[in-house]
Amino acid sequence: MNESLGRLEFNFPWRSYQANLLRNFDRHISDNHFHVIAPPGSGKTILGIEIIRRLGEKTLVLAPTLTIRNQWEDRLQSFFTKSKAYESHSFNIKSPHDITFATYQSLHAFYKTFEDKNDYYSFFEEHNIKTLVLDEAHHLKNEWWNCLIDLKNNNPFFVVALTATPPYDSNRTEVSKYFTLCGEIDDEIAVPDLVREADLCAHQDFVYFSKPEGLEINFIVEYRQKIADFKDKLLNDDVFVSFIKQHRFFNQPEACLEELYSNAEYFSAILIFLNACGVAVERHKLEILGFNKKETITFPTLELEWLEVLFQNLLVDDRERLLKSEPYLLSLEKELRKIHVFEKRKVNFIGEELLYKSLASSPSKLKSIVSIVASEHESLNSDLRCVVLTDYIRKEFLNTDDNKIQTVNKIGVIPVFQYLRAYFLNKEALAVVSGSLVIIHKAILEAFNLIENCDHFSFTPLQVDNAFLTVGSKKKTKNSIVSIITELFENGDIKVLVGTKSLLGEGWDAPSINSLILASFVGSFVSSNQMRGRAIRKDPDQLNKTGNIWHLACVDSTVLNGGRDVDILRRRFEAFVGVSNSNRPYIENSFERLQFPEQILEEDVETLNLQTLKNANNRNNIIKKWNNAIVKGTHLTKEIKIYHLGEIAYKKQKRIYYFDAVRFFVAELSFTILLFYLEFILKNTHVVLSRGMTYFLYTFLTALLVSFGYKLYKAVTLYMRYGFLDKKIKKMGEVILNTLFELGFMTTDMSSIRIESKRIDNGDIVCDLLGSNPFENSLFSNALSEIIEPVKSPRYLIVKTNLFRRRLNIENFYSVPEIFGDKKANALVFQKYWRINLGRNKLFYTRHVEGRKLLLKARLFHVYNAFKKVSKQVVVWR
C-alpha cells in the first residue's frame, strides 16, 4: 500500500448504508471495476476516498467541473485527516501525486498534446497510477470518452465509477460505451435508505398542467388537420398506390428476401398501407415469408407511425435503390416539407419535435409558476425557500413593462422573473442569479452589505421597476456573487430565486431549498435528476424539512395521452425514485405513482391542479407517506411490468372471459347438454331399439359436437390466449433463472431466491426476482423484457408450436435473450429449461436463410404491438 494513502483514516462512524456498500467491496472489485449509483447527499465523494484508501494505489480522480474537483480535496482534508494536513495531492495532471484531482476536460486537453499515443500511456505507467476514479461518470462526452477508453485499454487500472444517474436515456451505443468503461453496476445506495436515515428529507414530485395558449392550440389543430388531409389524399392517390405496388418488396419479394429479413418494418409498412387502400395481398407472397396456406393474417390499422416508417425508407434509407423514381420522390419530399413532416432527413408525422418545442416552451407555464409560488408562499410564509431553474436567460425581455407582460412568449430566467415581479405579492423576496446577470430587490441591500461590502459592487435600477437592481462587480472580492446570493437565500432574505440550471443545477448547495420548480425542457434524465437533487438534501436548521419538486407540462388536447410534453415527463420519471400519492403508499420510479388518470384531458386540468396544490400544501402527509412506505421494504429491486393491452378495460374483459370460459363450462353447458340429452333420447328411442346403444352414442356425440363445438372452440382459444398469463410469466422467469445459474451468472445461493408473478387491479402483470443482488436482478429483468417485448432481431428464436396450436393459429414466437444468444451452447441450455417449464418448442438460428424467414414471420406476428409499450422495468422498494 502507498505510504501516504495508508495514513488516511475516516474520522467518523459510517452510515449504515455506506457500511453495507463497503462490506461487499472486495467481492465487487474482483473484476477491477467498482461501479456505484449513489444519490446526492449519500456521501458519494467520501465513499470514493475510502475506496482509494483501501486500494492503496496512486490515483487519478476525474470530475466534470472545477467545483466538484475541489470538493474532493475538501472532503479528503475534512474527513480523512486530523488537521487538513494531507499534502500528497495535486491539481495538475502533468505533475501527478499520490492522489491527483483533475477534470475530464483537462485530461482530454492533456491527451491531445501527445502525437504518439504510446507516450500518453507510458506517462501513467511511469508515474505508477493504477486507480482511475470517474466521478459523475454520466457526464462523459464523446471527446472525453476517447481519451479515457484509450487509457483503460492500454493500462491495467482499477476503475471506480460513481454516479447519481446512469445515462439510461442515451442511445444504445452511448449506454454500451458507458458500461464498457465503468463496468456493470455493482451496488446502489437507495434514496429510501437516505430518507430513513434522515440524510435526505421527505419529498414529493408534483406535476402542474397548463393549457396551451390560443395561438398554440390553433397551430396544433391546423398541423393535425394537414396530416389527416395528407393521409386521406394518399389513400386515394392512384399514382402513389401504383408506385408502392411496383416496389420490389411487393412486386418481387422472392428476389429480395435478405432485404426483407433485415428490414421487416419497411415491408410491414408497405403491406399495411396497401391493405388500407383495399389492395389484396396475394397468398403466395405471404407463403414465401413462412406463413402456411391456412394461417389468417390480420393487418393492423394504418397509423401515422407506419406512414413514418414507409416514407423514412422511401425518402432516405431506400432512396438510392429507387433512383429511377427520383423525380417522383422529389415531389413527395417537397409535399412533406410543406406540411413540416420532413426535416433534416427525418420523417415525422406525429409532430413530436415540432409540437414538443411549442408545448415545452409554452408561455402558459409562466402562469403555472406564478400559481405554484403563490400557493407555496401561502403555505410556508417566511419559511419558503423556492428555486426556479430554467435553460435560458432571455435578456431581450429585461425591459418588458407590466402593460406588455402578456407579450412574453418564451420560457427563460427573465420571463419567469417578469411574471413573478408582476403577479407575486412578496416582491422583496425575489431575486435572479445567472452567469451573466444578477438581480436583487433594493430592500435586501443592508443584508447584502453585511456579507460583502456594497462598495465593491455596482447596483443599477431596472428600467421597468427601479425597486430591482442589477448587480455588477467592481473588483475581486473574497465571496463570489453566487456565494453571496446563496447566503442571502439561506438566511431568508431571498425566498424565491430564479436561475439557470447550468449555474445552479449541479454542484450548487443550498440545503434550505424546500420548493423546486423545474422549468427546464432542454437536457436528459440525468440533468433532471441532478437538478431535483438540490431540493431533497436535509437541512440541519430545519429537521422536519420537506421538499416539493414541481414539474411543468402543457397538455396537447388533440391526443388522449396529453401529448408529447406529458409523455417526455412520463419518461423522465423513470429516473426519479419516490413515494406514491396513493392511500397505501409505495416507493417506485414511475409516473404512475402520482395517480394521475391515464388520459389527461384539457377539461380536467384545473381540477387536477387544484388537487395537486392541496396535496403539496399538506407537507406533514408527505412525511407520513414516506414513513409508511419505507417500512414495507429493505432495498430497491427491478420488477417487470407487463401492460394489459386489450382494447376493453381489464376488469370488464375479465368479466366477459369469466362468463365465456368458466360459467359456460360449469353452468350453461351442463344445463344445455342435459336438455339436449333428454330431447335427443325422446326423439331417438327408436335408434336404440333398431341400431343398438353403440350407434346411438356415436350419433349423440356427433350431434353434440355440431351443436356446441364452435362455442367450445372459442372458449378453449380464449383460455389459451388469456388464461393464467401471470403463471406463464413466472415460468418464463424460472427458465431465465435456471439458465443464469447453470451458466454461472449467479453468485447468490439459489435457495434464497424466488420469483413472484401476479396480476394487479388494472390488469397489468408484475414479476419480481426476490433475494438476488442488484447485478443479478438486472440480468434477470433485462432477459425477461427481451422475451416479452415484440421480436426484433435476436440471434436465436424459440417457437412454441404443435399441431393443435397451429390449427388454432396460436403459434408463439419468443426471442432468446441476448445474454444467452451469444453461443449456441448457451441457447441450448435456455431451450432445455424452456422445455421443462413451458413444454415442447423449436430453436432456430436466425442468421441462416430458414431462420431469417421465420424471424420475419415472427416480427409480422408482433406487428400489432410494434409501436406500443408492451412492458416496462420498474424500480421498486421491496
Side-chain angles (χ1 to χ4, degrees):
M1 173 178 282
N2 181 284
E3 184 180 345
S4 74
L5 293 175
R7 293 197 301 269
L8 295 175
E9 186 176 358
F10 187 55
N11 297 328
F12 303 92
W14 291 108
R15 301 167 188 170
S16 59
Y17 51 83
Q18 293 172 331
N20 289 336
L21 184 142
L22 292 170
R23 194 173 296 123
N24 297 316
F25 170 72
D26 289 337
R27 179 164 61 90
H28 289 316
I29 201 64
S30 59
D31 65 349
N32 292 345
H33 292 83
F34 190 45
H35 187 181
V36 177
I37 301 174
S42 60
K44 179 160 50 73
T45 304
I46 292 170
L47 283 169
I49 296 168
E50 174 64 15
I51 292 167
I52 292 170
R53 189 192 70 79
R54 292 189 180 197
L55 289 172
E57 302 288 353
K58 292 182 72 173
T59 301
L60 173 63
V61 177
L62 294 168
T65 66
L66 288 172
T67 301
I68 296 175
R69 182 204 69 174
N70 295 340
Q71 284 177 0
W72 274 83
E73 192 267 342
D74 177 70
R75 301 296 190 273
L76 170 67
Q77 303 289 11
S78 301
F79 291 89
F80 287 84
T81 67
K82 295 296 183 184
S83 55
K84 296 189 176 183
Y86 187 79
E87 296 181 354
S88 300
H89 73 278
S90 169
F91 288 118
N92 186 354
I93 199 169
K94 297 178 182 178
S95 302
H97 219 308
D98 292 342
I99 303 180
T100 303
F101 303 106
T103 62
Y104 292 111
Q105 191 172 2
S106 64
L107 177 67
H108 178 245
F110 182 59
Y111 174 73
K112 290 197 296 184
T113 63
F114 292 92
E115 291 187 12
D116 185 346
K117 299 310 176 189
N118 289 318
D119 294 335
Y120 170 67
Y121 314 137
S122 299
F123 176 87
F124 292 92
E125 288 181 10
E126 290 167 6
H127 288 87
N128 204 31
I129 296 174
K130 294 185 178 179
T131 300
L132 194 62
V133 177
L134 310 177
D135 190 21
E136 304 295 1
H138 55 265
H139 276 282
L140 292 173
K141 298 179 181 177
N142 282 331
E143 60 267 26
W144 297 353
W145 153 265
N146 291 332
C147 62
L148 274 168
I149 201 63
D150 257 13
L151 188 58
K152 180 187 174 184
N153 288 342
N154 289 278
N155 296 67
F157 286 109
F158 290 110
V159 177
V160 179
L162 307 168
T163 185
T165 312
Y168 290 127
D169 62 322
S170 300
N171 62 53
R172 185 168 180 171
T173 302
E174 293 299 316
V175 171
S176 176
K177 283 168 34 174
Y178 172 84
F179 283 105
T180 298
L181 180 63
C182 300
E184 294 295 334
I185 294 168
D186 291 297
D187 216 334
E188 179 173 4
I189 296 176
V191 166
D193 281 323
L194 276 74
V195 175
R196 179 172 52 199
E197 298 283 337
D199 291 319
L200 290 181
C201 71
H203 54 277
Q204 182 57 290
D205 294 280
F206 297 101
V207 178
Y208 199 94
F209 297 104
S210 63
K211 303 175 186 179
E213 303 288 331
L215 288 175
E216 294 169 310
I217 294 171
N218 293 338
F219 175 72
I220 293 169
V221 171
E222 287 176 10
Y223 179 83
R224 299 278 189 223
Q225 189 59 53
K226 286 178 183 177
I227 299 301
D229 292 344
F230 175 82
K231 179 181 174 183
D232 291 342
K233 177 185 173 184
L234 199 68
L235 290 170
N236 295 287
D237 186 341
D238 294 337
V239 176
F240 185 75
V241 172
S242 177
F243 171 67
I244 296 299
K245 286 172 68 176
Q246 294 303 312
H247 191 283
R248 64 189 184 281
F249 278 14
F250 186 77
N251 195 33
Q252 296 178 309
E254 303 94 333
C256 47
L257 288 178
E258 281 299 316
E259 278 191 277
L260 288 178
Y261 300 148
S262 62
N263 199 345
E265 276 193 339
Y266 186 19
F267 180 62
S268 300
I270 289 173
L271 296 183
I272 292 165
F273 173 78
L274 291 175
N275 179 73
C277 296
V279 176
V281 179
E282 296 95 328
R283 191 76 220 175
H284 76 91
K285 292 180 180 177
L286 293 174
E287 289 172 17
I288 290 170
L289 304 174
F291 295 95
N292 64 45
K293 294 180 180 180
K294 296 183 179 180
E295 286 178 311
T296 302
I297 307 301
T298 305
F299 293 101
T301 306
L302 178 65
E303 304 289 356
L304 292 177
E305 288 90 347
W306 287 115
L307 278 184
E308 283 185 6
V309 172
L310 180 60
F311 278 92
Q312 182 66 35
N313 279 277
L314 292 176
L315 298 182
V316 181
D317 302 337
D318 192 32
R319 196 153 179 169
E320 289 187 6
R321 299 291 303 272
L322 303 170
L323 289 177
K324 291 182 180 178
S325 303
E326 180 59 27
Y328 181 61
L329 291 175
L330 190 60
S331 69
L332 288 174
E333 179 183 324
K334 289 178 179 178
E335 197 168 350
L336 292 187
R337 288 189 186 278
K338 283 181 184 178
I339 57 174
H340 304 289
V341 166
F342 187 56
E343 301 286 344
K344 298 178 181 179
R345 294 174 55 84
K346 181 73 175 175
V347 176
N348 192 327
F349 280 95
I350 310 299
E352 290 181 339
E353 293 304 320
L354 189 67
L355 298 184
Y356 175 56
K357 287 177 182 177
S358 169
L359 295 175
S361 58
S362 170
S364 66
K365 294 182 178 181
L366 294 169
K367 297 174 184 176
S368 298
I369 293 169
V370 173
S371 298
I372 294 166
V373 172
S375 177
E376 292 282 53
H377 184 258
E378 183 179 348
S379 173
L380 295 174
N381 296 308
S382 61
D383 290 332
L384 176 63
R385 301 290 186 277
C386 178
V387 172
V388 185
L389 290 180
T390 188
D391 301 298
Y392 306 109
I393 298 175
R394 309 286 191 197
K395 288 184 181 180
E396 64 268 27
F397 296 107
L398 189 59
N399 294 320
T400 304
D401 60 33
D402 294 355
N403 296 327
K404 296 182 179 179
I405 198 77
Q406 298 298 331
T407 64
V408 176
N409 59 0
K410 294 179 181 178
I411 291 281
V413 170
I414 298 304
V416 172
F417 165 74
Q418 295 287 27
Y419 259 76
L420 289 172
R421 182 186 62 78
Y423 300 115
F424 180 48
L425 296 178
N426 192 14
K427 294 179 175 57
E428 295 85 356
L430 177 62
V432 165
V433 62
S434 69
S436 61
L437 182 65
V438 175
I439 303 173
I440 63 172
H441 196 278
K442 65 182 181 181
I444 67 168
L445 276 176
E446 186 177 340
F448 190 105
N449 191 61
L450 292 174
I451 299 170
E452 192 76 51
N453 193 326
C454 285
D455 292 339
H456 297 159
F457 298 88
S458 62
F459 299 93
T460 307
L462 278 186
Q463 180 179 319
V464 294
D465 189 338
N466 59 18
F468 284 93
L469 312 169
T470 60
V471 184
S473 180
K474 292 180 180 177
K475 60 178 75 173
K476 188 174 182 180
T477 59
K478 64 177 181 179
N479 292 303
S480 70
I481 188 65
V482 173
S483 66
I484 296 169
I485 296 297
T486 302
E487 189 169 343
L488 289 167
F489 181 79
E490 290 288 285
N491 294 339
D493 300 294
I494 296 171
K495 294 181 175 59
V496 180
L497 183 60
V498 185
T500 52
K501 71 171 189 183
S502 58
L503 185 67
L504 304 181
E506 185 172 357
W508 180 65
D509 196 14
S512 65
I513 300 173
N514 50 29
S515 183
L516 175 68
I517 302 175
L518 298 177
S520 168
F521 56 90
V522 176
S524 62
F525 296 0
V526 170
S527 63
S528 297
N529 208 23
Q530 289 292 331
M531 289 187 288
R532 187 173 171 272
R534 304 307 100 202
I536 65 179
R537 293 181 183 273
K538 70 175 182 179
D539 182 1
D541 298 325
Q542 293 285 337
L543 297 181
N544 287 325
K545 171 192 165 181
T546 53
N548 287 353
I549 303 107
W550 291 92
H551 309 265
L552 309 176
C554 190
V555 175
D556 180 355
S557 58
T558 63
V559 289
L560 291 177
N561 70 348
R564 173 73 168 171
D565 201 27
V566 178
D567 189 47
I568 288 286
L569 199 56
R570 281 193 179 96
R571 282 191 253 166
R572 285 191 172 179
F573 265 72
E574 293 176 17
F576 309 150
V577 173
V579 70
S580 71
N581 265 337
S582 58
N583 293 327
R584 291 183 292 175
Y586 55 88
I587 297 169
E588 70 171 38
N589 70 329
S590 70
F591 187 80
E592 286 82 0
R593 66 181 170 86
L594 298 187
Q595 307 294 303
F596 285 118
E598 190 170 327
Q599 295 181 356
I600 299 173
L601 307 176
E602 189 174 327
E603 55 265 30
D604 298 331
V605 164
E606 289 182 15
T607 303
L608 291 173
N609 287 341
L610 286 173
Q611 185 59 50
T612 297
L613 291 174
K614 182 180 177 181
N615 292 340
N617 289 339
N618 191 356
R619 289 178 176 253
N620 288 332
N621 195 42
I622 297 173
I623 296 173
K624 183 179 177 182
K625 284 182 182 292
W626 272 101
N627 291 338
N628 290 340
I630 284 174
V631 298
K632 295 179 181 178
T634 58
H635 64 285
L636 288 176
T637 184
K638 280 186 180 178
E639 73 176 20
I640 301 297
K641 182 178 288 186
I642 300 96
Y643 292 113
H644 170 68
L645 297 177
E647 294 181 5
I648 306 173
Y650 168 69
K651 288 186 177 180
K652 183 177 179 182
Q653 191 174 45
K654 183 179 181 182
R655 189 163 60 248
I656 292 170
Y657 288 164
Y658 172 79
F659 284 117
D660 280 351
V662 180
R663 192 196 67 174
F664 173 73
F665 283 116
V666 176
E668 183 182 9
L669 187 60
S670 301
F671 181 69
T672 309
I673 289 176
L674 179 61
L675 291 178
F676 176 83
Y677 178 70
L678 292 173
E679 183 181 358
F680 190 83
I681 288 179
L682 291 174
K683 289 183 177 179
N684 294 278
T685 305
H686 67 283
V687 175
V688 178
L689 297 175
S690 61
R691 299 277 185 104
M693 182 59 73
T694 302
Y695 183 82
F696 169 81
L697 288 175
Y698 279 129
T699 306
F700 171 74
L701 290 173
T702 302
L704 185 69
L705 188 62
V706 170
S707 300
F708 299 102
Y710 180 71
K711 282 189 175 182
L712 185 64
Y713 162 80
K714 291 295 290 183
V716 170
T717 303
L718 283 172
Y719 169 77
M720 292 189 69
R721 289 187 185 278
Y722 185 82
F724 303 116
L725 182 57
D726 54 330
K727 304 292 190 299
K728 185 176 181 181
I729 295 297
K730 183 175 182 178
K731 289 182 177 180
M732 290 179 180
E734 297 286 356
V735 174
I736 294 167
L737 187 59
N738 284 305
T739 308
L740 286 171
F741 267 106
E742 180 163 330
L743 296 180
F745 289 102
M746 307 288 284
T747 56
T748 304
D749 187 81
M750 193 170 189
S751 62
S752 64
I753 294 179
R754 65 186 176 90
I755 297 169
E756 185 178 277
S757 179
K758 60 185 178 183
R759 192 183 290 275
I760 55 181
D761 289 343
N762 66 350
D764 296 344
I765 292 169
V766 293
C767 183
D768 300 279
L769 182 67
L770 306 177
S772 64
N773 63 43
F775 177 64
E776 295 165 343
N777 185 255
S778 181
L779 292 180
F780 175 84
S781 57
N782 290 340
L784 185 56
S785 291
E786 289 182 54
I787 295 175
I788 293 165
E789 287 291 315
V791 172
K792 292 176 182 172
S793 186
R795 289 171 63 84
Y796 288 93
L797 198 64
I798 285 276
V799 182
K800 187 171 176 59
T801 185
N802 54 42
L803 179 62
F804 185 57
R805 280 181 170 273
R806 282 197 297 273
R807 291 293 174 87
L808 290 179
N809 193 22
I810 318 175
E811 279 187 303
N812 297 119
F813 303 87
Y814 302 97
S815 301
V816 174
E818 188 177 344
I819 192 173
F820 309 134
D822 57 340
K823 297 177 183 176
K824 184 176 181 180
N826 294 348
L828 289 172
V829 174
F830 179 80
Q831 184 193 23
K832 176 181 71 175
Y833 287 111
W834 188 284
R835 185 178 295 114
I836 293 170
N837 288 276
L838 290 158
R840 295 177 59 187
N841 64 82
K842 292 183 179 179
L843 180 72
F844 290 90
Y845 180 60
T846 64
R847 301 304 188 255
H848 289 157
V849 174
E850 183 183 359
R852 292 183 77 84
K853 183 183 290 189
L854 196 65
L855 176 60
L856 181 57
K857 179 180 176 181
R859 294 182 69 175
L860 290 174
F861 261 100
H862 285 268
V863 79
Y864 266 92
N865 293 331
F867 302 109
K868 292 180 181 177
K869 187 76 173 175
V870 175
S871 69
K872 177 183 178 181
Q873 295 187 37
V874 182
V875 177
V876 297
W877 179 251
R878 293 290 299 266

